Amino acid sequence: VELSCIIKSTVTPDPRIEWKKIRDGETSYVFFDNKMQGDFATRAEILSRTSLVIKNTTRMDTATYRCEVAAPSDTKTIDEINIQLTVQ
């Protein structure tokens, strides 16, 4: 599955991008500090700096995924998008 977080424009040369998984009120890191976290380390990757690709998805991956972008040099320094993933 591929989840995309599209950055329209930024003046920050290298904005910080993080992905989080929110399930049953619990938030955990998926991509943090430029690397995959937890069980995603062996089955997920980042494409084109912003798209999260999760391989071998299961029902346990059903959750809300949040992409957070921090661009300190921009007028809007932080933004986020939530994507609901349902694995049947």
Side-chain angles (χ1 to χ4, degrees), residues 45-65:
E45 63 182 325
I46 296 293
L47 293 182
S48 307
R49 283 186 358 119
T50 57
S51 291
L52 172 67
V53 176
I54 305 171
K55 301 170 189 164
N56 303 318
T57 54
T58 69
R59 287 190 195 127
M60 291 302 295
D61 293 315
T62 294
T64 298
Y65 290 82

Side-chain angles (χ1 to χ4, degrees), residues 26-58:
E26 299 280 323
T27 302
S28 58
Y29 282 108
V30 175
F31 182 75
F32 176 73
D33 201 18
N34 287 322
K35 60 184 179 246
M36 290 296 165
Q37 304 293 316
D39 73 320
F40 290 100
T42 58
R43 61 188 191 92
E45 63 182 325
I46 296 293
L47 293 182
S48 307
R49 283 186 358 119
T50 57
S51 291
L52 172 67
V53 176
I54 305 171
K55 301 170 189 164
N56 303 318
T57 54
T58 69

